[in-house]
């Protein structure tokens, strides 16, 4: 859970890379929410991180004003869409590589981040 009260981070996707990102962000004291649609992973994360919010709703993550940044650790085919929604919601974003599957989509995300004055990193 966000122990430092300085920044709240949500990790979306608790799979292969997501589990490591969740652990590291938790250890930094900045983990606010874990979002995944796999019930067994959600149950496991609830046991490991009892004080962290667990949800399967990305909409809920996007609308939560206590979440400042989102880490996208989902399958690559979802990166563009989820990152775009996060930037449009006013969140800083770190996305696992690749940023997008098409160069034009990556360029659009970079423009959107600049326009919204948000951090976008891969």
């Amino acid at each position: 859970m966000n122990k430092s009260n300085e920044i709240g981070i949500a990790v979306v996707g608790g799979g292969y890379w997501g589990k490591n990102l969740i652990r590291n962000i938790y250890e930094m004291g900045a983990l606010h929410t874990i979002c995944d649609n796999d019930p067994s992973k959600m149950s496991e994360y609830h046991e490991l991180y009892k004080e962290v919010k667990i949800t399967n709703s990305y909409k809920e993550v996007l609308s939560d004003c206590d979440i400042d940044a989102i880490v996208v650790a989902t399958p690559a085919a979802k990166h563009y869409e989820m990152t775009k929604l996060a930037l449009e919601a006013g969140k800083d974003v770190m996305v696992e590589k690749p940023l997008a599957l098409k160069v034009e989509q990556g360029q659009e995300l970079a423009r959107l981040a600049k326009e919204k004055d948000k951090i976008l990193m891969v």
Side-chain angles (χ1 to χ4, degrees), residues 56-68:
N56 65 355
S57 171
Y58 191 53
K59 278 186 171 183
E60 189 178 316
V61 171
L62 294 172
S63 65
D64 191 327
C65 62
D66 290 330
I67 295 173
D68 305 296

Side-chain angles (χ1 to χ4, degrees), residues 41-84:
K41 284 182 190 161
M42 291 175 67
S43 177
E44 177 185 343
Y45 288 132
H46 179 69
E47 287 301 312
L48 289 170
Y49 308 104
K50 292 189 186 317
E51 68 276 17
V52 172
K53 187 174 180 181
I54 309 288
T55 184
N56 65 355
S57 171
Y58 191 53
K59 278 186 171 183
E60 189 178 316
V61 171
L62 294 172
S63 65
D64 191 327
C65 62
D66 290 330
I67 295 173
D68 305 296
I70 296 175
V71 175
V72 178
T74 60
K78 295 276 196 180
H79 289 184
Y80 166 74
E81 174 189 359
M82 297 183 94
T83 300
K84 183 175 180 183

Side-chain angles (χ1 to χ4, degrees), residues 12-112:
V12 180
Y16 184 73
W17 281 110
K19 66 183 176 193
N20 297 314
L21 294 164
I22 288 167
R23 184 188 70 249
N24 290 331
I25 294 167
Y26 178 81
E27 288 173 359
M28 292 180 347
L31 185 61
H32 183 282
T33 300
I34 300 169
C35 180
D36 198 289
N37 59 8
D38 181 334
S40 65
K41 284 182 190 161
M42 291 175 67
S43 177
E44 177 185 343
Y45 288 132
H46 179 69
E47 287 301 312
L48 289 170
Y49 308 104
K50 292 189 186 317
E51 68 276 17
V52 172
K53 187 174 180 181
I54 309 288
T55 184
N56 65 355
S57 171
Y58 191 53
K59 278 186 171 183
E60 189 178 316
V61 171
L62 294 172
S63 65
D64 191 327
C65 62
D66 290 330
I67 295 173
D68 305 296
I70 296 175
V71 175
V72 178
T74 60
K78 295 276 196 180
H79 289 184
Y80 166 74
E81 174 189 359
M82 297 183 94
T83 300
K84 183 175 180 183
L85 289 170
L87 291 168
E88 289 174 340
K91 311 293 185 187
D92 294 317
V93 183
M94 184 190 112
V95 59
E96 283 297 317
K97 62 183 181 186
L99 175 59
L101 297 180
K102 297 180 181 177
V103 172
E104 299 81 16
Q105 292 174 335
Q107 292 170 333
E108 178 187 347
L109 293 174
R111 279 192 303 274
L112 181 58

